[in-house]
Amino acid sequence: MPSSDLRSTLLLVFLTGQSIGAIAAAQDRAYRITDIAPDTPAQNQGGLVYPSFFQPVTAGDVFLAPAGTGLPSIWRTDGTPDGTRPVVAGAAIGSGALIGSNGQRAFFAGSNPSGGTTALWATDGTPGGTVLLKAGLGAPHDPGFEPATAVLEGRLFFHDCAPRPSTACDLWTSDGTVEGTRKLVELGHGATRLTGSAGVVYFLASARDDVRLALWKTDGTPGGTISLRAFSNTGLTNDVASVGGRAVVVAEGKLWASNGSAVDPDRKRHV
């Protein structure tokens, strides 16, 4: 029987041979789909890295990349040369980013430099399925309390914030359709720490008439968006998690739990 050193050497040779074979096989299977941006300067020469911001849609992915001159366009690909093409030009949607997807539609937030506002778009990867959901969205102005944007339970949650000096923001949601895009609640600051499970989304935010952070929940409707409990400024209020429709939040130096129902504020260790 070979010594342990010899067995180790033989194993290394075997694995190296296997790795070389796997790399060669992968190279045989890999192929270029399309040359999106020919003659683009290298990154260290001022060029940008494309494609970027991949998000899934039905039967493919969308991403940002140049399509001629001007702002990056939204492209779609199914992984084949024939199935890779521009969807909508950057000039039509502004400068921005693909910010999430619910699996069928991806969401794009584009800025309007002349008006200082943001527009929210959704796309299913086709020109006809690319729609403007909400225009004129104001940007948040409090860098110490940045509102969150997230796709949870199949819906995008985003904000429309008042002009300076106000820090007020409205929380909105969208399922990727115009009719499914609506305002949920007016907040003193934007929502943060968005988390969801079992059809319920939890977040931290302050009300317009109360500067304290509170635990909120929403089912994606205005009537189902409620504040569960406001916390004092004692200790830290900095995180929320959700499992099985329940929320766990760190606040006032304690760990709290909620089943989504508002309760007696004097009840200890639970909301």
Side-chain angles (χ1 to χ4, degrees):
M1 176 178 293
S3 67
S4 60
D5 289 342
L6 180 57
R7 288 199 302 272
S8 299
T9 301
L10 292 174
L11 178 60
L12 177 61
V13 171
F14 173 76
L15 291 177
T16 302
Q18 292 290 96
S19 300
I20 293 174
I23 293 172
Q27 289 174 338
D28 289 340
R29 292 193 300 269
Y31 57 91
R32 187 177 72 177
I33 295 174
T34 186
D35 190 357
I36 292 173
D39 304 321
T40 298
Q43 189 176 10
N44 61 3
Q45 297 176 348
L48 299 176
V49 178
Y50 289 107
S52 59
F53 298 106
F54 279 83
Q55 296 290 344
V57 294
T58 302
D61 282 75
V62 292
F63 58 91
L64 291 184
T69 60
L71 297 171
S73 302
I74 296 179
W75 289 61
R76 177 191 179 277
T77 184
D78 61 2
T80 68
D82 291 340
T84 303
R85 62 179 66 90
V87 175
V88 60
I93 56 177
S95 174
L98 290 160
I99 60 174
S101 168
N102 62 11
Q104 290 76 46
R105 297 179 179 89
F107 299 96
F108 176 87
S111 63
N112 178 3
S114 61
T117 59
T118 299
L120 179 69
W121 298 73
T123 182
D124 63 1
T126 66
T130 302
V131 296
L132 176 64
L133 299 176
K134 172 68 176 168
L137 295 170
H141 303 299
D142 186 350
F145 202 94
E146 188 72 15
T149 299
V151 179
L152 297 165
E153 303 299 299
R155 304 187 65 87
L156 174 73
F157 293 85
F158 62 101
H159 294 85
D160 182 16
C161 297
R164 285 191 174 108
S166 172
T167 59
C169 291
D170 298 337
L171 180 64
W172 285 66
T173 188
S174 178
D175 62 0
T177 66
V178 174
E179 58 274 16
T181 301
R182 51 182 174 260
K183 184 172 78 171
L184 294 177
V185 65
E186 297 177 351
L187 299 171
H189 283 85
T192 63
R193 305 296 183 181
L194 287 151
T195 180
S197 63
V200 181
V201 171
Y202 294 93
F203 58 92
L204 293 176
S206 61
R208 289 283 169 94
D209 57 354
D210 190 343
V211 297
R212 296 176 300 169
L213 281 183
L215 176 67
W216 294 67
K217 79 160 188 177
T218 181
D219 60 3
T221 67
T225 303
I226 61 173
S227 175
L228 298 176
R229 177 180 175 121
F231 299 103
S232 73
N233 294 326
T234 303
L236 296 176
T237 305
N238 60 2
D239 210 356
V240 182
S242 177
V243 180
R246 295 176 59 86
V248 178
V249 58
V250 177
E252 300 176 357
K254 303 181 182 71
L255 188 64
W256 304 73
S258 174
N259 61 7
S261 299
V263 297
D264 181 356
D266 293 329
R267 186 177 178 183
K268 303 300 182 183
R269 301 191 66 80
H270 292 280
V271 292

